């Protein structure tokens, strides 16, 4: 049952009217372009035997020279007691460095293909007006992360990688998905019918891992013009981690920085897109704060 | 900078109002038990996935068993660099744990490339770079599993598996036996020598039967293991340059005077 409010107006309607369609979707479009072109490059390299970007997101080589490896998979491998070969370690280091700079969970919104699935579920949830949700603790993902590292230590087997939907989907899109779509469909249903943003914001240990990596990262979303906020709530509705918005939007009185330092922020920049008042912008953690500029 | 950090701390603590101690412990307990249940489920799933693992034929140089599963990043770089499209990455319900490379010899066998590109491509060491000579690969071993249907066992001269073997007359030989059906011909029995066979699967691919009579099996399935306590007398003798127990007494053979022996 759509509530009156949702039936009345769609999220981002003002932004759409004031800024135009392109402007109100620019980061979304950029992100989808980024996610899809990474996958397309991998797939093209595989199917047409190009040497641009070989492998997949777990580990790859760029132009047959630069290695890239997923530090989360490496962490699991090390936890299992195997010390990876140097190529993989170097690759892991490069990737780690990259996300330490640009924000750990940028992986989530700009690279991970599961994000497209869960965003779709969330969009459909809003369109269908499904508001019923089962509460899952935000911190469950850290337990999952602990588990994914603990199980290999105990049993000596990379258990999470057997089922990790992120690995499964990205690999599947490049090499052929097989029956892996079952797991992806399950995540979509979970997010759509059972609990809002259940997977990415509550369960995925990979998101938790990249969140930790990005604690000190340089690129940050900034509610720079928060005094303009007219409480339309649109950003809360599109943000996959809405709990991080209130402190920065309402923190002026307590002199809380308008910069979003919470590492749960995925740097997706959807809040910038949908805000008609242009409250948010994307820049660095060192941006000088210009408060109450009129 | 310091000021920013202070504010950050402030912003994070005000994000969630400090929960009461009881709330905190309830949350921890709930998180832990949920994670524990997921862990149990995953462990059960993993042990079933492991059971299917011994059926998968791995690329050359693959570490054995769990060591391989733990080392492999599931990146598919070995798959990409295999020039014969032999290797593929397992998906969720394949007979190999998902994401790991394997091949079906009957479909596309390993061509035993001299430069072993799959091993060179592997970034993690799951395919052991120490493998320099492809003839030393042990992807598995061929086993002539169905003597009933193998044409050579019928006394026909099929020999196809023998002739396609890259290590012909070493990994697989034809052993002559009397053909007791005709009484005057020979059977040429294809015989795999597991210590030399690389498990490339070319014989399995080439077998002319509808269902192949010779199959490559992973070492773990195909080979038995001799108990540690066994000593093979002839080997010990060779190693020590003589028998370890006193030689048996040679008794003189006595015969009656007029025997017609000799
Ligand atoms: S939380 Fe997990 S599934 Fe969601 S976008 Fe991040 S890595 Fe992908
Ligand atoms: S705060 Fe903005 S950029 Fe960060 S996750 Fe939410 S919508 Fe995306
Ligand atoms: S040795 Fe050659 S054919 Fe065999 S798996 Fe490796 S790359 Fe493929
Ligand atoms: S290249 Fe190595 S790490 Fe990558 S899938 Fe093959 S065996 Fe696994
Ligand atoms: S698998 Fe068959 S073809 Fe390959 S080395 Fe062994 S006996 Fe020869």
């Amino acid at each position: 049952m759509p509530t009156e409010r949702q039936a009345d107006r769609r999220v981002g309607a003002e932004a759409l009217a004031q800024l135009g369609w392109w402007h109100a979707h620019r980061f979304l479009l950029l992100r989808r372009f980024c996610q899809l072109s990474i996958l397309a490059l991998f797939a093209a390299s595989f199917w047409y035997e190009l040497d641009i970007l070989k492998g997949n997101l777990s580990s790859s080589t760029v132009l047959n020279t630069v290695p890239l490896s997923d530090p989360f998979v490496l962490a699991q491998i090390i936890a299992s007691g195997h010390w990876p070969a140097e190529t993989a370690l170097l690759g892991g280091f490069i990737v780690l460095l990259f996300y330490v700079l640009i924000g750990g969970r940028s992986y989530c919104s700009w690279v991970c293909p599961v994000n497209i699935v869960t965003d779709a579920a969330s969009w459909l949830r809003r369109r269908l007006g499904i508001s019923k949700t089962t509460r899952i603790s935000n911190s469950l993902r850290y337990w999952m992360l602990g588990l994914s590292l603990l199980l290999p230590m105990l049993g000596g087997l990379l258990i999470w990688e057997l089922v990790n939907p992120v690995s499964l989907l990205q690999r599947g899109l490049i090499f052929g998905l097989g029956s892996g779509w079952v797991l992806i469909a399950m995540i979509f249903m979970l997010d759509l019918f059972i609990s809002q943003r259940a997977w990415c914001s509550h369960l995925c240990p990979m998101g938790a891992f990249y969140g930790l990596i990005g604690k000190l990262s340089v690129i940050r979303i900034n509610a720079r013009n928060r005094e303009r906020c007219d409480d339309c709530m649109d950003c809360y509705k599109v943000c996959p981690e809405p709990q991080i918005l209130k402190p920065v939007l309402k923190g002026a009185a307590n002199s809380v920085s308008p910069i979003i330092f919470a590492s749960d922020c995925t740097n997706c920049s959807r809040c910038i897109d949908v805000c008609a008042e242009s409250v948010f912008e994307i820049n660095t953690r060192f941006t000088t704060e210009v408060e109450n500029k009129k | 900078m310091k000021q920013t950090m202070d504010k950050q701390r402030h912003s994070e603590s005000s994000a969630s109002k400090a929960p009461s101690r009881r709330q905190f412990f309830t949350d921890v307990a709930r998180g832990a038990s949920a994670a524990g249940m997921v862990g149990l489920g995953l462990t059960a799933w993993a042990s079933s996935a492991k059971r299917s693992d011994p059926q998968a034929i791995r690329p050359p140089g693959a570490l054995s068993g769990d060591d391989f599963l733990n080392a492999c990043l599931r990146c598919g770089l070995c798959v990409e660099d295999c020039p014969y499209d032999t290797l593929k990455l397992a998906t969720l319900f394949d007979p190999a744990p998902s994401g790991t490379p394997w091949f079906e010899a009957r479909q596309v066998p390993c061509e035993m490339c001299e430069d072993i590109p799959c091993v060179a491509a592997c970034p993690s060491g799951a395919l052991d770079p120490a493998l320099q000579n492809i003839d030393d690969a042990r992807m598995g071993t061929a086993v002539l599993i169905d003597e009933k249907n193998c044409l050579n066992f019928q006394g026909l001269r099929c020999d196809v598996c023998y002739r396609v073997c890259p290590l012909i007359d070493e990994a697989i030989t034809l052993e002559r036996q009397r053909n007791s059906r005709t009484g005057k011909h020979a059977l040429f029995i294809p015989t795999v020598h597991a210590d030399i066979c690389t498990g490339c699967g070319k014989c399995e691919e080439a077998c002319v039967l509808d269902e192949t009579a010779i199959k490559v099996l992973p070492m773990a399935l195909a080979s038995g293991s001799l108990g540690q306590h066994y000593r093979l007398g002839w080997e010990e003798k060779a190693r020590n340059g003589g028998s370890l127990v006193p030689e048996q007494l040679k008794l003189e053979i006595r015969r009656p005077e007029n025997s017609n022996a000799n």
Side-chain angles (χ1 to χ4, degrees), chain A residues 54-56 85 156 158 162 256, chain B residues 11 70 74 80-81 93 98 124:
Chain A
K54 280 204 299 202
N56 59 34
L158 236 58
L162 293 176
V256 176
Chain B
S11 81
N70 286 341
R74 293 119 218 264
E80 298 215 13
D81 278 3
F93 299 111
S98 63
S124 70

Side-chain angles (χ1 to χ4, degrees), chain A residues 10-150:
Chain A
R10 286 189 31 207
V11 176
E14 282 92 347
L16 213 60
Q18 280 181 31
L19 309 169
W21 193 88
W22 286 102
H23 200 271
H25 289 92
R26 58 197 164 136
F27 281 107
L28 182 62
L29 293 171
L30 258 180
R31 275 195 312 122
R32 293 291 179 255
F33 178 75
C34 182
Q35 285 165 323
L36 295 175
S37 41
I38 289 174
L39 289 174
L41 273 180
F42 274 125
S45 300
F46 176 54
W47 293 105
Y48 303 109
E49 293 175 13
L50 310 174
D51 290 339
I52 307 168
L53 192 54
K54 280 204 299 202
N56 59 34
L57 289 170
S58 298
S59 192
S60 55
T61 53
V62 183
L63 299 174
N64 271 341
T65 41
V66 187
L68 299 174
S69 301
D70 180 16
F72 178 56
V73 180
L74 284 180
Q76 292 175 70
I77 287 183
I78 292 170
S80 80
H82 174 87
W83 191 246
E86 268 155 40
T87 317
L89 286 176
L90 176 65
F93 181 72
I94 297 175
V95 172
L96 201 70
L97 206 67
F98 179 76
Y99 286 108
V100 164
L101 285 178
I102 71 149
R105 291 201 72 198
S106 301
Y107 176 84
C108 293
S109 56
W110 293 81
V111 179
C112 177
V114 176
N115 169 270
I116 304 179
V117 177
T118 57
D119 270 1
S122 163
W123 176 83
L124 204 59
R125 203 174 230 280
R126 285 196 299 275
R127 286 307 294 274
L128 299 176
I130 304 175
S131 52
K132 246 188 91 191
T133 185
T134 308
R135 211 186 77 83
I136 305 177
S137 160
N138 264 329
S139 58
L140 193 49
R141 52 182 145 185
Y142 293 104
W143 289 97
M144 296 281 287
L145 174 60
L147 200 71
S148 64
L149 296 177
L150 188 68

Side-chain angles (χ1 to χ4, degrees), chain B residues 126-155:
Chain B
L127 306 182
D128 192 350
L131 179 70
Q132 294 290 328
N133 179 354
I134 188 67
D135 291 348
D136 295 336
R138 292 290 173 273
M139 296 168 261
T141 182
V143 179
L144 207 157
I145 219 162
D146 186 0
E147 303 186 348
K148 200 85 192 156
N149 286 309
C150 170
L151 294 175
N152 270 26
F153 271 85
Q154 323 289 326

Side-chain angles (χ1 to χ4, degrees), chain B residues 199-215:
Chain B
C200 71
K202 288 186 78 72
C203 50
E204 178 175 337
E205 186 214 18
C207 178
V208 299
L209 303 186
D210 282 353
E211 182 65 56
T212 169
I214 190 166
K215 291 189 162 86

Side-chain angles (χ1 to χ4, degrees), chain A residues 54-56 58-59 77 80 82 85 87-88 143 147 156-160 162-163 171 175-177 179 255-256 261 289, chain B residues 4 7-8 10-12 28 31-32 35 39 42 45-46 50 70-71 73-75 77 80-81 91 93 97-99 123-124:
Chain A
K54 280 204 299 202
N56 59 34
S58 298
S59 192
I77 287 183
S80 80
H82 174 87
T87 317
W143 289 97
L147 200 71
L157 196 62
L158 236 58
I159 290 177
W160 182 247
L162 293 176
V163 292
R171 210 165 46 218
F175 295 92
L177 190 54
S179 325
S255 62
V256 176
F261 286 113
E289 295 155 25
Chain B
T4 336
K7 283 178 183 171
Q8 173 191 1
H10 191 132
S11 81
E12 276 180 356
V28 168
L42 284 179
W45 165 276
K50 246 173 82 170
N70 286 341
L73 291 156
R74 293 119 218 264
C75 65
L77 284 168
E80 298 215 13
D81 278 3
T91 60
F93 299 111
S98 63
S124 70

